[in-house]
Coordinates of all heavy atoms in Angstrom, one line a residue:
M1 N 162.6 103.4 118.2 CA 162.4 102.0 118.7 C 162.7 101.0 117.7 O 163.2 99.9 118.0 CB 160.9 101.9 119.2 CG 160.8 101.7 120.6 SD 159.1 101.2 121.1 CE 158.2 102.7 121.1
T2 N 162.3 101.3 116.5 CA 162.5 100.3 115.4 C 164.0 99.9 115.2 O 164.3 98.7 115.0 CB 162.0 100.8 114.1 OG1 160.6 101.2 114.2 CG2 162.1 99.8 112.9
G3 N 164.9 100.9 115.4 CA 166.3 100.6 115.3 C 166.8 99.7 116.4 O 167.6 98.8 116.2
V4 N 166.2 99.9 117.6 CA 166.6 99.0 118.7 C 166.1 97.6 118.5 O 166.8 96.6 118.7 CB 166.0 99.6 120.1 CG1 166.3 98.6 121.2 CG2 166.6 100.9 120.4
F5 N 164.8 97.5 118.0 CA 164.3 96.1 117.7 C 165.2 95.4 116.7 O 165.5 94.2 116.9 CB 162.9 96.2 117.1 CG 161.8 96.7 118.1 CD1 160.7 97.3 117.6 CD2 162.0 96.6 119.5 CE1 159.7 97.8 118.5 CE2 161.0 97.1 120.4 CZ 159.9 97.6 119.9
A6 N 165.6 96.1 115.7 CA 166.4 95.5 114.6 C 167.8 95.1 115.2 O 168.2 94.0 114.9 CB 166.6 96.5 113.5
Q7 N 168.3 95.9 116.1 CA 169.6 95.6 116.7 C 169.5 94.3 117.6 O 170.3 93.4 117.6 CB 170.1 96.7 117.5 CG 171.5 96.6 118.0 CD 172.1 97.9 118.6 OE1 171.3 98.8 118.9 NE2 173.4 97.9 118.9
L8 N 168.4 94.2 118.3 CA 168.2 93.1 119.2 C 168.0 91.8 118.4 O 168.5 90.7 118.8 CB 167.0 93.3 120.1 CG 167.2 94.5 121.1 CD1 165.9 94.7 121.9 CD2 168.3 94.2 122.1
F9 N 167.2 91.9 117.3 CA 167.1 90.7 116.5 C 168.4 90.3 115.8 O 168.7 89.1 115.6 CB 165.9 90.9 115.4 CG 164.6 90.6 116.0 CD1 163.7 91.5 116.4 CD2 164.1 89.2 116.0 CE1 162.5 91.2 116.9 CE2 162.9 88.9 116.5 CZ 162.1 89.9 116.9
D10 N 169.2 91.3 115.5 CA 170.5 91.0 115.0 C 171.3 90.2 116.0 O 172.0 89.2 115.6 CB 171.3 92.3 114.6 CG 170.8 92.9 113.3 OD1 170.0 92.3 112.5 OD2 171.1 94.1 113.1
V11 N 171.3 90.6 117.2 CA 172.0 89.9 118.3 C 171.5 88.5 118.4 O 172.3 87.5 118.5 CB 171.9 90.6 119.6 CG1 172.4 89.7 120.8 CG2 172.6 91.9 119.6
L12 N 170.2 88.3 118.4 CA 169.6 87.0 118.4 C 170.1 86.1 117.2 O 170.5 84.9 117.4 CB 168.0 87.0 118.4 CG 167.4 87.5 119.6 CD1 165.9 87.9 119.4 CD2 167.5 86.5 120.7
E13 N 170.0 86.7 116.0 CA 170.4 85.9 114.8 C 171.9 85.6 114.8 O 172.2 84.5 114.4 CB 169.9 86.7 113.6 CG 168.4 86.7 113.5 CD 167.8 87.6 112.4 OE1 168.6 88.4 111.8 OE2 166.6 87.5 112.2
Q14 N 172.7 86.5 115.3 CA 174.1 86.2 115.4 C 174.4 85.1 116.4 O 175.2 84.2 116.2 CB 174.9 87.5 115.7 CG 174.9 88.4 114.5 CD 175.6 89.8 114.9 OE1 176.1 89.9 116.0 NE2 175.5 90.7 114.0
T15 N 173.7 85.2 117.5 CA 174.0 84.3 118.6 C 173.6 82.8 118.2 O 174.3 81.9 118.5 CB 173.2 84.7 119.9 OG1 173.6 86.0 120.3 CG2 173.4 83.7 121.0
Y16 N 172.4 82.7 117.6 CA 171.9 81.4 117.2 C 172.2 81.0 115.8 O 171.8 79.9 115.3 CB 170.4 81.3 117.5 CG 170.2 81.4 119.0 CD1 169.8 82.6 119.6 CD2 170.3 80.2 119.8 CE1 169.6 82.6 121.0 CE2 170.0 80.3 121.1 CZ 169.7 81.5 121.7 OH 169.5 81.5 123.1
S17 N 172.9 81.8 115.0 CA 173.3 81.6 113.6 C 172.2 81.1 112.8 O 172.3 80.2 112.0 CB 174.4 80.5 113.6 OG 175.5 80.9 114.3
R18 N 171.1 81.8 112.9 CA 169.9 81.6 112.1 C 168.9 82.8 112.2 O 169.0 83.5 113.1 CB 169.1 80.3 112.6 CG 168.6 80.5 114.0 CD 167.9 79.2 114.5 NE 168.8 78.2 114.6 CZ 168.7 77.2 115.5 NH1 167.7 77.1 116.2 NH2 169.6 76.3 115.6
P19 N 168.1 82.9 111.2 CA 167.1 84.0 111.2 C 166.0 83.7 112.1 O 165.7 82.5 112.4 CB 166.7 84.1 109.7 CG 166.9 82.7 109.2 CD 168.0 82.1 109.9
F20 N 165.4 84.7 112.6 CA 164.2 84.6 113.4 C 163.0 85.3 112.7 O 163.2 86.5 112.3 CB 164.4 85.3 114.8 CG 165.1 84.4 115.8 CD1 166.5 84.4 115.7 CD2 164.5 83.7 116.7 CE1 167.3 83.6 116.5 CE2 165.2 82.9 117.6 CZ 166.6 82.8 117.5
D21 N 161.9 84.6 112.5 CA 160.8 85.2 111.8 C 160.1 86.2 112.8 O 159.6 85.8 113.8 CB 159.8 84.0 111.5 CG 158.6 84.5 110.7 OD1 158.5 85.8 110.5 OD2 157.8 83.7 110.2
R22 N 160.1 87.4 112.4 CA 159.5 88.5 113.2 C 158.0 88.6 113.1 O 157.4 89.4 113.8 CB 160.2 89.8 112.8 CG 161.7 89.8 113.0 CD 162.4 90.9 112.5 NE 163.8 90.6 112.5 CZ 164.8 91.4 112.3 NH1 164.5 92.7 112.2 NH2 166.0 91.1 112.3
D23 N 157.4 87.7 112.3 CA 156.0 87.7 112.2 C 155.3 86.6 113.0 O 154.1 86.4 112.9 CB 155.6 87.6 110.7 CG 156.0 88.8 109.9 OD1 155.9 89.9 110.5 OD2 156.4 88.6 108.8
T24 N 156.0 85.9 113.9 CA 155.4 84.9 114.7 C 154.8 85.5 115.9 O 155.1 86.6 116.3 CB 156.5 83.8 115.1 OG1 157.4 84.5 116.0 CG2 157.2 83.2 113.9
V25 N 154.0 84.7 116.6 CA 153.3 85.1 117.8 C 154.4 85.4 118.9 O 154.3 86.4 119.6 CB 152.3 84.0 118.3 CG1 151.8 84.4 119.7 CG2 151.2 83.9 117.3
N26 N 155.4 84.5 119.0 CA 156.4 84.7 120.1 C 157.2 86.0 119.8 O 157.6 86.7 120.7 CB 157.2 83.5 120.2 CG 156.5 82.4 121.0 OD1 155.7 82.7 121.8 ND2 156.7 81.2 120.6
A27 N 157.5 86.3 118.5 CA 158.3 87.5 118.2 C 157.4 88.7 118.5 O 157.9 89.7 119.1 CB 158.7 87.5 116.8
A28 N 156.1 88.6 118.2 CA 155.2 89.7 118.6 C 155.1 89.9 120.1 O 155.1 91.1 120.5 CB 153.8 89.4 118.0
R29 N 155.1 88.9 120.8 CA 155.1 89.0 122.3 C 156.4 89.7 122.8 O 156.4 90.5 123.7 CB 155.0 87.6 122.9 CG 153.6 87.0 122.8 CD 153.6 85.6 123.4 NE 152.3 85.0 123.4 CZ 152.0 83.8 123.4 NH1 153.0 82.9 123.6 NH2 150.8 83.3 123.3
F30 N 157.5 89.3 122.2 CA 158.8 89.9 122.5 C 158.8 91.4 122.3 O 159.2 92.2 123.1 CB 159.9 89.2 121.7 CG 161.3 89.7 121.9 CD1 161.9 89.7 123.1 CD2 162.0 90.2 120.8 CE1 163.2 90.2 123.3 CE2 163.3 90.7 120.9 CZ 163.9 90.7 122.2
I31 N 158.3 91.7 121.1 CA 158.3 93.1 120.7 C 157.3 93.9 121.6 O 157.6 95.0 122.0 CB 157.9 93.3 119.2 CG1 159.1 92.8 118.3 CG2 157.5 94.7 118.9 CD1 158.7 92.6 116.9
T32 N 156.2 93.3 121.9 CA 155.2 94.0 122.8 C 155.8 94.2 124.2 O 155.7 95.3 124.8 CB 153.9 93.2 122.9 OG1 153.3 93.1 121.6 CG2 152.9 93.8 123.9
H33 N 156.5 93.2 124.7 CA 157.2 93.3 126.0 C 158.2 94.4 125.9 O 158.3 95.2 126.9 CB 157.9 92.0 126.3 CG 158.8 92.1 127.5 ND1 158.3 92.2 128.8 CD2 160.1 92.3 127.6 CE1 159.3 92.4 129.7 NE2 160.4 92.5 129.0
L34 N 159.0 94.5 124.9 CA 160.0 95.6 124.7 C 159.3 97.0 124.7 O 159.8 97.9 125.3 CB 160.8 95.4 123.5 CG 161.8 94.2 123.6 CD1 162.4 94.0 122.2 CD2 162.9 94.5 124.6
R35 N 158.2 97.1 124.0 CA 157.5 98.4 124.0 C 157.1 98.8 125.4 O 157.2 100.0 125.8 CB 156.3 98.3 123.0 CG 156.7 98.3 121.6 CD 155.5 98.4 120.7 NE 155.9 98.5 119.3 CZ 155.4 97.9 118.3 NH1 154.3 97.2 118.4 NH2 155.9 98.1 117.1
Y36 N 156.5 97.9 126.1 CA 156.1 98.2 127.5 C 157.4 98.4 128.4 O 157.3 99.3 129.2 CB 155.3 97.1 128.1 CG 153.8 97.1 127.7 CD1 153.3 96.2 126.8 CD2 153.0 98.1 128.1 CE1 152.0 96.2 126.3 CE2 151.7 98.2 127.7 CZ 151.2 97.2 126.8 OH 149.9 97.3 126.4
F37 N 158.4 97.7 128.1 CA 159.7 97.9 128.8 C 160.2 99.4 128.6 O 160.6 100.0 129.6 CB 160.8 96.9 128.4 CG 162.1 97.4 128.8 CD1 162.5 97.3 130.1 CD2 163.0 97.9 127.9 CE1 163.8 97.8 130.5 CE2 164.3 98.4 128.3 CZ 164.6 98.3 129.6
F38 N 160.2 99.8 127.4 CA 160.6 101.2 127.1 C 159.8 102.2 127.9 O 160.4 103.2 128.4 CB 160.5 101.5 125.6 CG 161.5 100.8 124.8 CD1 161.2 100.3 123.5 CD2 162.8 100.5 125.2 CE1 162.1 99.6 122.7 CE2 163.7 99.9 124.4 CZ 163.4 99.4 123.2
V39 N 158.5 102.0 128.0 CA 157.7 102.9 128.8 C 158.1 102.9 130.2 O 158.3 103.9 130.9 CB 156.2 102.6 128.6 CG1 155.3 103.4 129.6 CG2 155.7 102.9 127.2
R40 N 158.3 101.6 130.7 CA 158.7 101.5 132.2 C 160.0 102.1 132.4 O 160.2 102.8 133.4 CB 158.7 100.0 132.5 CG 157.4 99.3 132.6 CD 157.4 98.0 133.3 NE 158.3 97.0 132.6 CZ 158.0 96.3 131.6 NH1 156.8 96.3 131.1 NH2 158.9 95.4 131.0
A41 N 161.0 101.9 131.5 CA 162.3 102.5 131.6 C 162.3 104.0 131.6 O 163.0 104.6 132.4 CB 163.2 101.9 130.6
H42 N 161.5 104.6 130.7 CA 161.5 106.0 130.6 C 160.7 106.7 131.8 O 161.0 107.8 132.1 CB 160.8 106.4 129.3 CG 161.7 106.3 128.2 ND1 162.4 105.2 127.8 CD2 162.2 107.2 127.3 CE1 163.1 105.4 126.7 NE2 163.0 106.6 126.4
T43 N 159.9 105.9 132.5 CA 159.2 106.5 133.6 C 159.8 106.0 135.0 O 159.3 106.3 136.0 CB 157.7 106.1 133.6 OG1 157.6 104.6 133.6 CG2 157.0 106.6 132.4
G44 N 160.9 105.3 134.9 CA 161.6 104.8 136.1 C 160.8 103.7 136.8 O 160.9 103.6 138.1
R45 N 160.1 102.9 136.1 CA 159.2 101.9 136.7 C 159.5 100.5 136.2 O 158.6 99.8 135.9 CB 157.8 102.2 136.5 CG 157.3 103.5 137.2 CD 155.9 103.7 136.8 NE 155.3 104.6 137.8 CZ 154.1 105.1 137.7 NH1 153.4 104.8 136.7 NH2 153.6 105.8 138.7
Q46 N 160.8 100.2 136.1 CA 161.1 98.8 135.6 C 160.5 97.8 136.6 O 160.4 98.1 137.7 CB 162.6 98.6 135.5 CG 163.2 99.4 134.3 CD 164.7 99.0 134.2 OE1 165.0 97.8 134.1 NE2 165.5 100.0 134.1
L47 N 160.3 96.6 136.0 CA 159.8 95.5 136.9 C 160.9 95.2 137.9 O 162.1 95.0 137.5 CB 159.5 94.2 136.0 CG 158.4 94.4 135.0 CD1 158.4 93.1 134.1 CD2 157.1 94.7 135.7
D48 N 160.6 95.2 139.2 CA 161.5 94.9 140.2 C 160.8 94.4 141.4 O 160.8 95.0 142.5 CB 162.3 96.2 140.6 CG 163.6 95.8 141.4 OD1 163.9 94.7 141.5 OD2 164.1 96.8 141.9
D49 N 160.1 93.2 141.2 CA 159.3 92.6 142.3 C 160.2 91.8 143.2 O 159.6 91.2 144.2 CB 158.2 91.8 141.7 CG 157.2 92.6 140.9 OD1 157.1 93.8 141.2 OD2 156.7 92.1 139.9
G50 N 161.4 91.6 142.9 CA 162.3 90.8 143.8 C 162.0 89.3 143.6 O 162.0 88.6 144.6
A51 N 161.6 88.9 142.4 CA 161.3 87.5 142.2 C 162.5 86.7 142.1 O 162.8 86.0 141.0 CB 160.4 87.4 140.9
G52 N 163.3 86.6 143.1 CA 164.6 86.0 143.1 C 164.6 84.5 142.8 O 165.3 84.0 141.9
R53 N 163.7 83.7 143.5 CA 163.6 82.3 143.3 C 163.1 82.0 141.9 O 163.6 81.1 141.2 CB 162.8 81.6 144.3 CG 163.5 81.4 145.6 CD 162.8 80.5 146.5 NE 161.8 81.3 147.2 CZ 160.8 80.7 148.0 NH1 160.7 79.4 148.1 NH2 160.0 81.5 148.6
L54 N 162.1 82.7 141.4 CA 161.6 82.5 140.1 C 162.7 82.8 139.0 O 162.9 82.0 138.1 CB 160.4 83.4 139.8 CG 159.8 83.4 138.5 CD1 159.3 81.9 138.2 CD2 158.6 84.3 138.3
G55 N 163.4 83.9 139.2 CA 164.5 84.2 138.3 C 165.6 83.2 138.3 O 166.1 82.8 137.2
T56 N 165.9 82.7 139.4 CA 166.9 81.6 139.5 C 166.4 80.4 138.8 O 167.2 79.7 138.1 CB 167.2 81.3 141.0 OG1 167.7 82.5 141.6 CG2 168.2 80.2 141.1
A57 N 165.2 80.0 139.0 CA 164.6 78.8 138.3 C 164.6 79.0 136.8 O 165.0 78.1 136.1 CB 163.2 78.6 138.8
I58 N 164.3 80.2 136.3 CA 164.2 80.4 134.9 C 165.6 80.4 134.3 O 165.9 79.8 133.3 CB 163.5 81.8 134.6 CG1 162.0 81.6 134.9 CG2 163.7 82.2 133.1 CD1 161.2 82.9 134.9
R59 N 166.6 81.1 135.0 CA 168.0 81.1 134.5 C 168.5 79.6 134.5 O 169.3 79.3 133.5 CB 168.8 82.0 135.3 CG 168.5 83.5 135.1 CD 169.5 84.4 135.9 NE 169.5 84.2 137.3 CZ 168.6 84.9 138.1 NH1 167.8 85.7 137.6 NH2 168.7 84.7 139.4
G60 N 168.2 78.8 135.4 CA 168.6 77.4 135.5 C 168.0 76.6 134.4 O 168.6 75.7 133.9
A61 N 166.7 76.8 134.1 CA 166.0 76.0 133.1 C 166.4 76.4 131.7 O 166.4 75.6 130.8 CB 164.5 76.2 133.3
Y62 N 166.8 77.7 131.5 CA 167.1 78.2 130.1 C 168.5 78.9 130.1 O 168.6 80.1 129.9 CB 166.1 79.1 129.7 CG 164.7 78.5 129.6 CD1 163.7 78.9 130.6 CD2 164.3 77.6 128.7 CE1 162.5 78.3 130.6 CE2 163.0 77.1 128.6 CZ 162.1 77.4 129.6 OH 160.9 76.9 129.6
P63 N 169.6 78.2 130.4 CA 170.9 78.9 130.5 C 171.3 79.6 129.2 O 171.9 80.6 129.3 CB 171.9 77.8 130.9 CG 171.2 76.5 130.6 CD 169.7 76.8 130.7
E64 N 171.0 78.9 128.1 CA 171.4 79.5 126.8 C 170.6 80.8 126.5 O 171.2 81.8 126.1 CB 171.2 78.5 125.7 CG 171.7 78.9 124.3 CD 171.5 77.9 123.3 OE1 170.6 77.0 123.4 OE2 172.2 77.9 122.3
A65 N 169.3 80.8 126.8 CA 168.5 81.9 126.7 C 168.9 83.0 127.6 O 168.9 84.2 127.3 CB 167.0 81.6 126.9
Y66 N 169.3 82.7 128.8 CA 169.7 83.7 129.8 C 171.0 84.3 129.3 O 171.2 85.6 129.4 CB 170.0 83.0 131.2 CG 170.5 84.0 132.2 CD1 169.8 85.1 132.6 CD2 171.8 83.7 132.8 CE1 170.4 86.0 133.5 CE2 172.3 84.6 133.7 CZ 171.6 85.7 134.1 OH 172.1 86.6 135.0
S67 N 171.9 83.5 128.8 CA 173.2 84.1 128.2 C 172.9 85.1 127.1 O 173.5 86.2 127.0 CB 174.1 83.0 127.7 OG 175.2 83.5 127.1
T68 N 171.9 84.8 126.3 CA 171.5 85.7 125.2 C 170.8 86.9 125.8 O 171.0 88.0 125.3 CB 170.6 84.9 124.2 OG1 171.2 83.8 123.8 CG2 170.2 85.8 123.1
A69 N 170.0 86.7 126.8 CA 169.3 87.9 127.4 C 170.3 88.8 128.0 O 170.1 90.1 128.0 CB 168.4 87.4 128.5
L70 N 171.5 88.3 128.5 CA 172.5 89.2 129.0 C 173.1 90.1 127.9 O 173.4 91.2 128.1 CB 173.6 88.4 129.7 CG 173.2 87.7 131.0 CD1 174.3 86.9 131.6 CD2 172.7 88.8 132.1
K71 N 173.2 89.5 126.7 CA 173.7 90.2 125.5 C 172.7 91.3 125.2 O 173.0 92.5 124.9 CB 173.9 89.3 124.3 CG 175.0 88.4 124.5 CD 175.1 87.4 123.3 CE 176.2 86.4 123.6 NZ 176.3 85.4 122.4
L72 N 171.4 91.0 125.2 CA 170.3 91.9 124.9 C 170.3 93.0 126.0 O 170.1 94.2 125.7 CB 169.0 91.3 124.9 CG 168.8 90.2 123.8 CD1 167.4 89.5 123.9 CD2 169.1 90.7 122.4
Q73 N 170.6 92.6 127.2 CA 170.6 93.6 128.3 C 171.7 94.6 128.0 O 171.5 95.8 128.2 CB 170.9 92.9 129.6 CG 171.2 93.8 130.8 CD 171.6 93.1 132.1 OE1 172.0 91.9 132.0 NE2 171.6 93.8 133.2
A74 N 172.9 94.2 127.6 CA 174.0 95.1 127.3 C 173.6 96.1 126.2 O 173.9 97.3 126.4 CB 175.2 94.3 126.9
V75 N 172.9 95.6 125.2 CA 172.5 96.6 124.1 C 171.5 97.6 124.7 O 171.6 98.8 124.4 CB 171.9 95.8 123.0 CG1 171.2 96.7 122.0 CG2 172.9 94.9 122.3
L76 N 170.5 97.1 125.4 CA 169.5 98.0 125.9 C 170.1 99.0 126.9 O 169.7 100.2 126.9 CB 168.4 97.2 126.6 CG 167.5 96.4 125.6 CD1 166.6 95.4 126.4 CD2 166.6 97.3 124.8
E77 N 171.0 98.6 127.7 CA 171.6 99.5 128.7 C 172.4 100.6 128.0 O 172.4 101.7 128.4 CB 172.5 98.7 129.7 CG 171.6 98.0 130.7 CD 172.4 97.2 131.7 OE1 173.7 97.0 131.5 OE2 171.8 96.7 132.7
L78 N 173.1 100.2 126.9 CA 173.8 101.2 126.1 C 172.9 102.1 125.4 O 173.1 103.4 125.4 CB 174.7 100.5 125.1 CG 176.0 99.9 125.6 CD1 176.7 99.0 124.5 CD2 176.9 100.9 126.1
R79 N 171.8 101.6 124.9 CA 170.9 102.5 124.1 C 170.1 103.4 125.1 O 169.8 104.5 124.7 CB 169.9 101.6 123.3 CG 170.6 100.8 122.2 CD 171.1 101.6 121.1 NE 170.2 102.4 120.3 CZ 169.7 102.1 119.1 NH1 170.1 101.0 118.5 NH2 168.9 102.9 118.5
L80 N 169.7 102.9 126.3 CA 168.9 103.7 127.2 C 169.7 104.4 128.2 O 169.1 105.3 128.9 CB 167.9 102.7 127.9 CG 166.9 102.0 127.0 CD1 166.1 101.0 127.7 CD2 166.0 103.0 126.2
G81 N 170.9 104.1 128.4 CA 171.7 104.8 129.4 C 171.3 104.5 130.8 O 171.6 105.3 131.7
Q82 N 170.8 103.3 131.1 CA 170.4 103.0 132.4 C 170.4 101.4 132.6 O 170.2 100.7 131.6 CB 169.1 103.5 132.8 CG 167.9 103.0 132.0 CD 166.6 103.7 132.5 OE1 166.1 103.3 133.5 NE2 166.0 104.6 131.7
P83 N 170.7 100.9 133.8 CA 170.7 99.5 134.0 C 169.3 98.9 134.0 O 168.3 99.5 134.3 CB 171.4 99.4 135.4 CG 171.1 100.6 136.1 CD 171.0 101.7 135.0
L84 N 169.3 97.6 133.6 CA 168.0 96.8 133.7 C 168.0 96.1 135.0 O 169.0 95.7 135.5 CB 168.0 95.8 132.6 CG 167.4 96.3 131.2 CD1 168.3 97.2 130.5 CD2 167.1 95.1 130.3
T85 N 166.8 95.9 135.5 CA 166.7 95.1 136.7 C 166.8 93.6 136.4 O 166.6 93.2 135.3 CB 165.3 95.4 137.4 OG1 164.3 94.9 136.5 CG2 165.1 96.9 137.8
E86 N 167.0 92.8 137.4 CA 167.1 91.4 137.2 C 165.7 90.9 136.7 O 165.7 89.9 135.9 CB 167.4 90.7 138.6 CG 168.9 90.7 138.9 CD 169.2 89.9 140.1 OE1 168.6 88.7 140.2 OE2 170.0 90.3 141.0
D87 N 164.6 91.4 137.2 CA 163.3 91.0 136.7 C 163.1 91.2 135.2 O 162.6 90.4 134.5 CB 162.2 91.7 137.5 CG 162.0 91.1 138.9 OD1 162.7 90.1 139.3 OD2 161.2 91.7 139.7
E88 N 163.6 92.4 134.7 CA 163.5 92.7 133.3 C 164.3 91.6 132.5 O 163.9 91.2 131.5 CB 164.0 94.1 133.0 CG 163.1 95.2 133.6 CD 161.7 95.3 132.9 OE1 161.4 94.6 131.9 OE2 160.9 96.1 133.4
V89 N 165.5 91.3 133.0 CA 166.4 90.3 132.3 C 165.7 88.9 132.3 O 165.8 88.2 131.4 CB 167.8 90.3 132.9 CG1 168.6 89.2 132.3 CG2 168.5 91.6 132.8
T90 N 165.0 88.6 133.4 CA 164.3 87.3 133.5 C 163.2 87.3 132.5 O 163.1 86.2 131.8 CB 163.7 87.2 134.9 OG1 164.8 87.1 135.9 CG2 162.9 85.9 135.0
Y91 N 162.5 88.3 132.3 CA 161.4 88.3 131.2 C 162.1 88.3 129.8 O 161.5 87.6 129.0 CB 160.5 89.6 131.4 CG 159.5 89.4 132.4 CD1 159.6 90.0 133.7 CD2 158.4 88.6 132.1 CE1 158.6 89.8 134.6 CE2 157.4 88.4 133.1 CZ 157.5 89.0 134.3 OH 156.5 88.8 135.3
L92 N 163.2 88.9 129.6 CA 163.9 88.8 128.3 C 164.3 87.3 128.1 O 164.1 86.8 127.0 CB 165.1 89.7 128.3 CG 164.9 91.2 128.1 CD1 166.3 91.9 128.2 CD2 164.2 91.5 126.8
T93 N 164.7 86.7 129.2 CA 165.1 85.3 129.1 C 163.9 84.4 128.6 O 164.1 83.5 127.7 CB 165.7 84.8 130.4 OG1 166.8 85.6 130.8 CG2 166.1 83.3 130.4
L94 N 162.8 84.6 129.2 CA 161.6 83.8 128.8 C 161.2 84.1 127.4 O 160.9 83.1 126.6 CB 160.4 84.2 129.7 CG 160.4 83.7 131.1 CD1 159.3 84.3 131.9 CD2 160.4 82.2 131.1
H95 N 161.3 85.3 126.9 CA 160.9 85.6 125.5 C 162.0 85.0 124.6 O 161.6 84.4 123.5 CB 160.8 87.1 125.3 CG 159.6 87.7 125.9 ND1 158.3 87.4 125.4 CD2 159.4 88.5 126.9 CE1 157.4 88.0 126.1 NE2 158.0 88.7 127.1
V96 N 163.2 85.0 124.9 CA 164.2 84.4 124.1 C 164.0 82.9 124.0 O 164.0 82.3 122.9 CB 165.7 84.7 124.6 CG1 166.7 83.9 123.9 CG2 166.0 86.2 124.4
A97 N 163.8 82.3 125.1 CA 163.5 80.8 125.2 C 162.4 80.5 124.3 O 162.4 79.5 123.6 CB 163.3 80.4 126.6
R98 N 161.3 81.2 124.3 CA 160.1 80.9 123.5 C 160.5 81.0 122.0 O 160.0 80.1 121.3 CB 159.0 81.9 123.8 CG 158.3 81.6 125.1 CD 157.2 82.7 125.3 NE 156.4 82.4 126.5 CZ 155.7 83.3 127.1 NH1 155.6 84.5 126.6 NH2 155.0 83.0 128.2
M99 N 161.2 82.0 121.6 CA 161.5 82.2 120.2 C 162.5 81.1 119.8 O 162.3 80.6 118.7 CB 162.0 83.6 119.9 CG 161.0 84.6 120.0 SD 161.5 86.3 119.4 CE 162.8 86.7 120.5
V100 N 163.4 80.8 120.6 CA 164.4 79.7 120.2 C 163.7 78.4 120.1 O 163.9 77.6 119.2 CB 165.5 79.7 121.2 CG1 166.4 78.4 121.0 CG2 166.4 80.9 121.1
D101 N 162.8 78.1 121.1 CA 162.1 76.8 121.0 C 161.2 76.7 119.8 O 161.0 75.7 119.2 CB 161.2 76.6 122.3 CG 162.1 76.2 123.5 OD1 163.3 75.9 123.3 OD2 161.6 76.3 124.6
E102 N 160.6 77.9 119.4 CA 159.8 77.9 118.2 C 160.6 77.6 117.0 O 160.1 76.9 116.1 CB 159.2 79.3 118.2 CG 158.2 79.6 117.0 CD 157.6 80.9 117.1 OE1 158.3 81.9 116.9 OE2 156.4 81.0 117.4
V103 N 161.8 78.1 116.9 CA 162.6 77.9 115.7 C 163.1 76.4 115.7 O 163.1 75.8 114.6 CB 163.9 78.8 115.7 CG1 164.9 78.4 114.7 CG2 163.4 80.3 115.5
R104 N 163.3 75.9 116.8 CA 163.8 74.5 116.9 C 162.7 73.5 116.6 O 162.9 72.3 116.2 CB 164.4 74.2 118.3 CG 165.7 74.8 118.5 CD 166.2 74.5 119.8 NE 167.5 75.2 120.0 CZ 168.1 75.4 121.2 NH1 167.5 75.0 122.3 NH2 169.2 76.1 121.3
A105 N 161.4 73.9 116.8 CA 160.3 72.9 116.6 C 160.1 72.6 115.2 O 160.5 73.2 114.2 CB 159.0 73.6 117.2

């Protein structure tokens, strides 16, 4: 798991051309989300509530974070060998947006 976390933070840092402090609350939330995601993925229980309108609203509100979440999705799918649901990508988008906003503040 640690290697995947490092790879995902590398993607974030390359995308935004800046370091991300991994000791912040939002980074901890991101890592915690990923830990639970790994459990869901391994048990075949990814989030898939069909939150279409919510996902659309989040993608529209945070297009840059969504674009980054798609990059993270590609890494996770390669590492896990299975596709992510739209709901999982939506949650990644929210976490990315929080961390980016934190860095910009």
